[in-house]
Amino acid sequence: MSENLNWKLKPGVNIAPEQVEDVARIACALKSLSAYTTLALEREDCPEGLEQIVQDGLDAMVRIFEW
């Protein structure tokens, strides 16, 4: 990973070095989506299941990264 020290792989997690940065970008996008979901859930037109989909992604991130 080039310069992003906010995304440190957990011990024992093996990802090809050329893929770590892309996975970190996906993780960042999920964190942003999580913030959006928090706001969207306050609205009545929030898509059903959105909260669980985002939470599943955040749970996966916790298994891969330390931050």
Side-chain angles (χ1 to χ4, degrees), residues 2-21:
S2 58
E3 301 174 18
N4 191 346
L5 301 178
N6 293 326
W7 299 96
K8 181 180 173 189
L9 290 176
K10 286 193 168 196
V13 173
N14 296 311
I15 297 176
E18 62 274 5
Q19 294 175 331
V20 172
E21 194 166 329

Side-chain angles (χ1 to χ4, degrees), residues 36-53:
Y36 165 78
T37 301
T38 299
L39 296 173
L41 289 174
E42 296 173 1
R43 298 179 48 159
E44 293 180 15
D45 62 345
C46 178
E48 192 173 321
L50 178 60
E51 182 177 19
Q52 187 59 51
I53 290 168

